[in-house]
């Protein structure tokens, strides 16, 4: 994937070293963190939003917010955990705004629950580029929000219950319950149909678009 190739061409440094140098004025190094965590941030936000443009907006806001508050980051937690929390907050804020708009514009009999329309799903099919991956994404979208995020972190990102607990600020037992219920809803048979690494990919031009926007913005701060 192009994202991985680009990062391989960049200096190999730990997050801690990169952050320390950014805080000393080397803001251009923030691009390394962008490319390093674009995939997991995309999958995080994708757990709350379906529309591609809204997801990218939230990702951009998350990175800019993280850059402006980078001095507050401490090595007590992983940078990825810290970034994910910011991303979740941004996604929830976006969802609240969208919910208010839907209440104002959607007829009462359509407010209970809506699946993505064919146009949205066709866009997701093109992004996924594989019919099986798209099929799982559709099932994923039908999950309640609190199950989507733990399913995404565990099944797609491979995060442990402990890591998910820290990211979401909930108990490990709560994580386990949500995972069990989410898996039941998704039906494990669907997961056997595709390579999990192919799900919810965020690379190439989409990755470059977010990186370019964020880097231009922070250079003007």
């Amino acid at each position: 994937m192009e994202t991985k190739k680009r990062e391989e061409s960049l200096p190999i440094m730990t997050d801690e070293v990169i952050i320390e140098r950014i805080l000393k004025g080397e803001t251009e190094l923030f691009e390394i963190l962008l490319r390093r965590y674009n995939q997991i941030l995309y999958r995080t936000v994708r757990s709350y939003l379906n529309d591609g443009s809204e997801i990218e907006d939230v990702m951009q806001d998350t990175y800019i917010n993280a850059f402006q508050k980078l001095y507050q980051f401490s090595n007590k937690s992983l940078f990825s955990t810290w970034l994910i929390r910011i991303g979740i907050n941004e996604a929830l804020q976006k969802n609240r705004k969208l919910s208010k708009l839907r209440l104002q514009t959607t007829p009462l009999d359509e407010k209970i629950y809506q699946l993505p329309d064919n146009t949205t799903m066709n866009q997701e099919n093109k992004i996924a580029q594989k019919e099986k991956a798209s099929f799982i994404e559709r099932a994923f979208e039908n999950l309640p929000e609190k199950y989507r995020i733990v399913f995404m972190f565990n099944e797609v990102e491979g995060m442990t219950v402990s890591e998910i607990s820290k990211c979401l600020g909930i108990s490990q037992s709560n994580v386990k319950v949500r995972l069990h219920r989410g898996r039941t809803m998704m039906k494990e048979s669907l997961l056997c149909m595709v390579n999990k690494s192919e799900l919810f990919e965020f690379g190439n031009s989409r990755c470059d678009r977010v990186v370019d926007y964020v880097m231009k913005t922070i250079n003007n701060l």
Side-chain angles (χ1 to χ4, degrees):
M1 191 168 66
E2 183 177 334
T3 305
K4 292 182 180 179
K5 290 181 179 179
R6 283 175 177 252
E7 183 169 341
E8 288 173 357
S9 66
L10 295 170
I12 299 176
M13 293 182 285
T14 64
D15 293 348
E16 290 76 13
V17 171
I18 293 171
I19 292 170
E20 181 180 355
R21 290 177 61 174
I22 291 172
L23 292 174
K24 290 180 178 179
E26 297 182 67
T27 57
E28 68 277 5
L29 295 182
F30 195 63
E31 180 176 347
I32 299 178
L33 297 178
L34 282 157
R35 297 193 179 278
R36 187 171 289 177
Y37 295 110
N38 257 344
Q39 184 73 84
I40 191 170
L41 181 60
Y42 168 74
R43 287 171 171 170
T44 299
V45 178
R46 178 66 176 76
S47 298
Y48 295 90
L49 299 166
N50 293 331
D51 184 84
S53 61
E54 290 170 354
I55 292 171
E56 290 189 18
D57 286 345
V58 169
M59 289 180 67
Q60 291 165 357
D61 291 342
T62 298
Y63 279 128
I64 292 170
N65 192 357
F67 178 80
Q68 293 176 323
K69 296 180 179 179
L70 198 59
Y71 67 93
Q72 297 178 359
F73 174 72
S74 65
N75 292 327
K76 294 180 180 179
S77 64
L78 296 174
F79 175 77
S80 58
T81 301
W82 186 71
L83 183 68
I84 284 170
R85 287 175 178 167
I86 295 175
I88 290 174
N89 287 334
E90 292 288 344
L92 290 174
Q93 288 181 31
K94 173 68 77 172
N95 249 340
R96 284 192 287 269
K97 292 178 182 178
L98 293 173
S99 295
K100 290 180 181 178
L101 289 175
R102 292 190 191 105
L103 287 172
Q104 295 171 0
T105 60
T106 305
L108 182 61
D109 59 355
E110 296 179 5
K111 289 176 183 176
I112 298 177
Y113 185 75
Q114 291 180 314
L115 291 174
D117 59 27
N118 290 334
T119 300
T120 300
M121 289 315 306
N122 287 336
Q123 292 174 344
E124 291 296 335
N125 291 341
K126 292 177 181 178
I127 293 172
Q129 295 182 342
K130 289 185 179 291
E131 184 177 354
K132 292 179 181 179
S134 176
F135 188 46
I136 290 182
E137 289 183 17
R138 294 189 207 184
F140 171 83
E141 287 167 2
N142 291 335
L143 287 175
E145 184 179 279
K146 64 180 180 180
Y147 301 134
R148 285 203 305 265
I149 187 64
V150 294
F151 181 90
M152 178 71 85
F153 281 162
N154 183 261
E155 293 291 349
V156 182
E157 278 297 320
M159 293 172 63
T160 65
V161 169
S162 176
E163 290 170 335
I164 297 171
S165 174
K166 292 176 182 178
C167 285
L168 300 182
I170 60 177
S171 68
Q172 292 189 32
S173 60
N174 201 335
V175 172
K176 292 177 181 178
V177 170
R178 294 185 187 186
L179 273 175
H180 175 72
R181 292 177 180 171
R183 286 168 179 161
T184 300
M185 293 177 185
M186 280 290 293
K187 297 182 180 179
E188 289 190 356
S189 60
L190 295 177
L191 300 178
C192 298
M193 297 173 61
V194 297
N195 183 340
K196 295 174 187 176
S197 65
E198 296 173 347
L199 290 173
F200 306 104
E201 289 187 345
F202 187 79
N204 303 323
S205 61
R206 299 183 72 198
C207 177
D208 291 339
R209 186 163 57 247
V210 170
V211 170
D212 290 343
Y213 176 87
V214 173
M215 294 306 296
K216 287 178 182 177
T217 300
I218 66 175
N219 284 333
N220 292 325
L221 291 176

